[in-house]
Amino acid sequence: MADDTQSTDARTDGGVERYEHSRLYRWLDARLDLDDDAFGKAFPDDRYGSFLLGEVALFSFVILAATGTFLGLMYTPVTSEVVYQGQVAKYAGQSVPGAFASVLRISYDVRFGMFVRMAHHWAAYLFVAAMGLHMFRVFFTGAYRNPREPNWLVGSGLLLLALGEGYFGYALPYDDFSQTATTIGFQMTSSIPVVGTMLKNLIFGGDFPANATYILPRFFFYHVFLLPAIIMGLIGLHMFFLLRQKHTEHPESSRDSSPVGPDPDDESVVVGVPMWPNQVAMSIIVFCFTTSIISFLAALFPVQRVAIIGPASPLTQPSGVRPDWFFMWVFGALKMTPNIFFGYGRFIGGVLFPGVVIGVMALWVFIDRHEEPVHFTANPLDRPMPTAVGVAAISTIIVLSIAGMDTFVAETLGMSADAIFPYMLGMTLLVPPAEGLIVYYALKRRLARKGEVA
């Protein structure tokens, strides 16, 4: 079997046997005629396993779709009051919003309902996390370069849609937390100059929470039909690009047993393992691993426990409300924006700044342009500027996420949120650029010692 997973050459020109070193591929090819562009596609050898992050994201989406179908069949997107008749004694016989009551029933009255709901939550977390790490891997190794710019744009769109899915899904239980989060999103959308009112009417269809009766079914449509359909279309486009273009692959290093690799200018050669059966077998293992991790987390670590949070109420303001972790940096940016911008602080911190970050990420392929095709991954240590930008971006996300949890930090330190604000603002303004500059000059010195120029 070891012979089957070692590097093999796939040649697109005729007359040369594909994967000549793979006995398993050749055995099946003799019986099933696998000499096909799809089945014979080469997947790169990856000594670090980082290339599998995309598969983890894909399988998380599959689990999201399966569990979401189960939940969608029993969820009721209405805000009108109904009498809850279920096992949660705290609400039994009481009038609560219909959406909240349906989530209670799914969680506590339907067999395995809580497990499926938690699996949906954790699959969503893993979907966003795997996609984000996948994009960081592509960014730091320069795998977005010519000719793979279109796939980077598709990936950016997928990440943005995944965040939107998370926001609309968070609102559906119509508990106190979701109402607060929806109100923040509504206010941020309304704060956009010129087009804010139009976008507010387009997305929300009215004021919130005054028109929650109409807005909640709209969010349900976005979350269950519209965005998943677009995401599936983009995943199909991503796979199409993947099949049409060759994978990037790790360059040979001096530590490899066979340091002489293929000619980088010879585009007819791709090093890796065949899609069928080697990569398919690996994908089955990754799917089982992903399912196991999500099941473990769903069984032992429940999140968004609506019975404790309570139904949405305009008369209450829950303490300690925080968004999901992937929105925490936006929440932090909102908190760190001083209210000194003539009433535009919410727009600058909650819309403009995240929009600039996401815009730079999506358009980076045109900032770091390469005229000639590049088919090998790069060592991040050999790319001072992109690596420094990436480190500064990660630092920004971490610092702003900490700022988003300022009340928790203040409580831990025994201080008030107002007292730690200057320190949080200083960290936000100084730490990311300082880390980026340190990384940049350290890598420049490293290249200079090697006698190379970035």
Side-chain angles (χ1 to χ4, degrees):
M1 187 66 187
D3 188 41
D4 298 318
T5 57
Q6 68 184 15
S7 297
T8 56
D9 291 351
R11 297 186 180 277
T12 56
D13 52 344
V16 179
E17 186 178 14
R18 284 172 174 259
Y19 306 109
E20 55 185 336
H21 299 300
S22 174
R23 286 184 300 176
L24 179 58
Y25 180 85
R26 285 187 284 108
W27 186 85
L28 288 172
D29 184 37
R31 290 153 181 81
L32 301 175
D33 190 21
L34 301 182
D35 189 11
D36 179 85
D37 285 343
F39 284 147
K41 175 176 173 54
F43 280 76
D45 281 335
D46 178 17
R47 63 177 71 97
Y48 309 114
S50 59
F51 281 67
L52 298 176
L53 286 168
E55 295 194 24
V56 173
L58 175 63
F59 296 143
S60 298
F61 180 75
V62 171
I63 296 172
L64 268 174
T67 53
T69 301
F70 175 86
L71 298 173
L73 292 174
M74 291 177 283
Y75 172 74
T76 308
V78 298
T79 59
S80 56
E81 296 283 318
V82 300
V83 177
Y84 171 71
Q85 301 288 354
Q87 298 185 39
V88 184
K90 183 179 179 181
Y91 302 104
Q94 293 188 21
S95 293
V96 295
F100 182 79
S102 68
V103 176
L104 279 182
R105 278 195 294 272
I106 292 170
S107 303
Y108 299 100
D109 303 318
V110 175
R111 184 171 296 182
F112 295 114
M114 176 66 89
F115 175 79
V116 175
R117 186 167 157 256
M118 292 303 105
H120 192 70
H121 267 278
W122 281 109
Y125 289 172
L126 191 59
F127 180 52
V128 176
M131 205 183 310
L133 291 174
H134 178 57
M135 292 199 70
F136 274 125
R137 197 276 299 172
V138 171
F139 180 87
F140 280 110
T141 61
Y144 55 79
R145 294 172 293 181
N146 184 4
R148 295 172 183 81
E149 302 99 323
N151 233 2
W152 174 264
L153 295 175
V154 171
S156 301
L158 279 169
L159 185 58
L160 197 59
L161 288 171
L163 296 179
E165 270 287 78
Y167 175 74
F168 292 124
Y170 193 81
L172 295 184
Y174 205 54
D175 56 26
D176 235 6
F177 278 15
S178 66
Q179 179 181 255
T180 304
T182 306
T183 301
I184 294 173
F186 175 80
Q187 293 173 345
M188 286 167 54
T189 306
S190 304
S191 70
I192 301 175
V194 183
V195 297
T197 301
M198 182 192 71
L199 287 177
K200 178 190 71 177
N201 293 330
L202 179 66
I203 297 173
F204 292 85
D207 292 333
F208 186 85
N211 292 304
T213 301
Y214 307 103
I215 292 173
L216 201 63
R218 184 179 285 242
F219 277 22
F220 180 65
F221 173 75
Y222 294 156
H223 183 72
V224 175
F225 297 103
L226 182 61
L227 293 191
I230 300 175
I231 288 175
M232 289 177 64
L234 287 181
I235 289 176
L237 187 60
H238 183 77
M239 300 301 290
F240 171 75
F241 285 142
L242 203 61
L243 289 173
R244 291 294 299 171
Q245 299 175 332
K246 299 178 179 66
H247 272 88
T248 52
E249 52 194 282
H250 294 303
E252 297 288 345
S253 73
S254 58
R255 290 177 294 179
D256 293 321
S257 57
S258 178
V260 181
D263 181 355
D265 297 326
D266 185 357
E267 297 184 14
S268 68
V269 178
V270 176
V271 174
V273 296
M275 176 178 176
W276 175 261
N278 303 59
Q279 187 61 32
V280 170
M282 176 58 72
S283 297
I284 291 173
I285 294 173
V286 174
F287 177 75
C288 293
F289 178 76
T290 303
T291 305
S292 301
I293 291 294
I294 290 174
S295 299
F296 173 79
L297 294 171
L300 299 180
F301 300 97
V303 291
Q304 200 178 15
R305 303 169 70 178
V306 294
I308 297 175
I309 298 171
S313 171
L315 302 177
T316 61
Q317 181 67 40
S319 61
V321 60
R322 288 187 291 270
D324 280 326
W325 61 268
F326 44 81
F327 275 124
M328 194 64 74
W329 68 281
V330 179
F331 195 48
L334 201 57
K335 286 191 171 187
M336 289 298 104
T337 305
N339 192 24
I340 57 174
F341 298 104
F342 308 101
Y344 288 103
R346 184 177 289 122
F347 165 68
I348 293 173
V351 180
L352 182 61
F353 176 75
V356 170
V357 172
I358 294 172
V360 170
M361 175 196 72
L363 299 177
W364 182 258
V365 291
F366 303 111
I367 299 172
D368 185 26
R369 291 177 63 248
H370 290 259
E371 297 295 336
E372 297 296 326
V374 182
H375 299 297
F376 287 84
T377 58
N379 184 348
L381 300 181
D382 294 337
R383 293 169 19 101
M385 179 57 74
T387 300
V389 170
V391 168
I394 292 175
S395 178
T396 300
I397 292 172
I398 292 174
V399 170
L400 286 178
S401 296
I402 295 173
M405 297 183 288
D406 60 342
T407 54
F408 173 76
V409 175
E411 184 179 339
T412 303
L413 298 177
M415 303 170 64
S416 67
D418 290 338
I420 67 169
F421 177 80
Y423 302 101
M424 290 288 183
L425 184 60
M427 285 176 55
T428 302
L429 296 176
L430 298 177
V431 172
E435 289 188 352
L437 287 172
I438 291 171
V439 168
Y440 176 75
Y441 285 109
L443 295 185
K444 288 279 287 184
R445 288 191 59 183
R446 175 181 177 274
L447 289 182
R449 286 198 302 270
K450 294 173 60 179
E452 299 177 11
V453 179

